[in-house]
Structure formats: C-alpha cells, structure tokens
C-alpha cells in the first residue's frame, strides 16, 4: 500500500462541525478521501503531468524530458497514481522496443481546466507576490539584523 493511503475509503464522516466555517473546506484528517485526492492532484509533479498531457499523447521519455528535475522513479510513481485515480490513461503498444503512451482521460481533462485557472491567476498576480516577498524579506532581514 502506498504511503498516505488508507486501507478503506473514507467520506470523512464525523468531521467536526465548525459552525460558520466554509462548508466546502476539506477535512484535515489523514484518512479523509477528499484530502487524499487534493494531496494527489496538487502535487507539483501531478500538476505538471496534467498540464503537459492537455490534448496530446506523450511517451514516458517525452514527459521526463519536459519536466525539469523529476526522477524516473518519481515520474513512474506519479503516473501510476494518476492512472489509479482515473486521470491518466496508459497505453502499451506491442512493439519492440515496447512503447507506452500517456494521455488524460475525460476526467483528467476536466481537472486540466481547473489547473489552467490556477496558472492564469498566478500569472496575473506574480508581480504582487514578488513585491510582497520583497517587503517580507526586507522586514525579516531588518529584524534579524537589529
């Protein structure tokens, strides 16, 4: 069993009621299925794989070449997890040497639209974030130095 995965799915029954808290806030317990799914799809390697597979089919080697810094093992694990979750389809072609293609499933395609919204938001606000970081760093260095 992979790390962080419970033996049986949980729908987070027994979640604490926080009154006026956002009803769409996911449970923070490790055995919460919503949290597990969010952990998976929000992983940096998963995000990159999903983005690269938008409307195209890629081979393992093409994915590895496109994703800077990912190890062969990490890409293999990520692709298996995405396939298990129904987001990526793996097709093995009976040729020598074997060829394996990856593509988004229809479900994975719906997730890509959400990821694209996040990327768009990041692009629109990157200047504000850079400015906030500079302000924070200058305050932190003043405190450390003073």
């Amino acid at each position: 069993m992979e790390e962080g995965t419970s033996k049986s799915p949980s729908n987070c029954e027994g979640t604490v009621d926080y009154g006026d808290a956002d009803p769409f806030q996911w449970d923070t317990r490790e055995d919460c299925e919503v949290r597990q799914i969010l952990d998976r799809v929000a992983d940096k390697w998963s995000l990159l794989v999903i983005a690269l597979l938008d409307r195209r089919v890629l081979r393992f080697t093409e994915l590895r070449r496109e994703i800077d810094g990912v190890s062969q093992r990490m890409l293999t694990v990520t692709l298996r997890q995405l396939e298990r979750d129904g987001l990526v389809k793996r097709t093995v072609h009976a040729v020598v040497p074997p060829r394996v293609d990856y593509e988004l499933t229809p479900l994975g395609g719906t997730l890509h639209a959400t990821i694209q919204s996040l990327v768009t938001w990041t692009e629109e606000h990157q200047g504000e974030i850079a400015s906030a970081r500079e302000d924070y760093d200058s305050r932190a260095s003043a405190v450390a130095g003073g």
Side-chain angles (χ1 to χ4, degrees), residues 35-51:
R35 178 177 169 186
Q36 289 174 11
I37 294 167
L38 286 170
D39 286 347
R40 166 95 66 246
V41 299
D43 169 82
K44 71 178 180 177
W45 303 125
S46 296
L47 288 171
L48 290 169
V49 166
I50 292 165

Side-chain angles (χ1 to χ4, degrees), residues 52 57-67 101:
L52 285 168
V57 177
L58 293 174
R59 296 172 68 176
F60 182 90
T61 53
E62 293 170 319
L63 282 166
R64 184 151 182 233
R65 191 177 318 118
E66 292 287 327
I67 302 174
D101 293 332

Side-chain angles (χ1 to χ4, degrees), residues 6-15 27 29-37:
S6 64
K7 291 182 181 177
S8 61
S10 168
N11 62 2
C12 308
E13 285 186 46
T15 300
D27 193 299
R29 292 177 300 156
E30 280 189 35
D31 65 341
C32 178
E33 191 169 352
V34 172
R35 178 177 169 186
Q36 289 174 11
I37 294 167

Side-chain angles (χ1 to χ4, degrees), residues 17-120:
D17 180 10
Y18 293 106
D20 293 330
D22 180 359
F24 297 105
Q25 179 65 38
W26 56 89
D27 193 299
T28 58
R29 292 177 300 156
E30 280 189 35
D31 65 341
C32 178
E33 191 169 352
V34 172
R35 178 177 169 186
Q36 289 174 11
I37 294 167
L38 286 170
D39 286 347
R40 166 95 66 246
V41 299
D43 169 82
K44 71 178 180 177
W45 303 125
S46 296
L47 288 171
L48 290 169
V49 166
I50 292 165
L52 285 168
L53 292 177
D54 180 42
R55 293 186 294 270
R56 61 183 174 164
V57 177
L58 293 174
R59 296 172 68 176
F60 182 90
T61 53
E62 293 170 319
L63 282 166
R64 184 151 182 233
R65 191 177 318 118
E66 292 287 327
I67 302 174
D68 188 40
V70 71
S71 68
Q72 181 171 337
R73 181 187 184 289
M74 193 71 243
L75 182 55
T76 299
V77 168
T78 299
L79 287 165
R80 283 185 186 152
Q81 291 171 341
L82 291 171
E83 183 181 9
R84 180 175 181 248
D85 290 342
L87 302 172
V88 167
K89 178 183 173 193
R90 178 179 186 262
T91 304
V92 180
H93 300 276
V95 295
V96 177
R99 190 179 101 213
V100 180
D101 293 332
Y102 295 91
E103 62 186 306
L104 290 181
T105 63
L107 180 61
T110 64
L111 181 57
H112 183 270
T114 301
I115 292 169
Q116 186 57 50
S117 295
L118 181 60
V119 169
T120 300

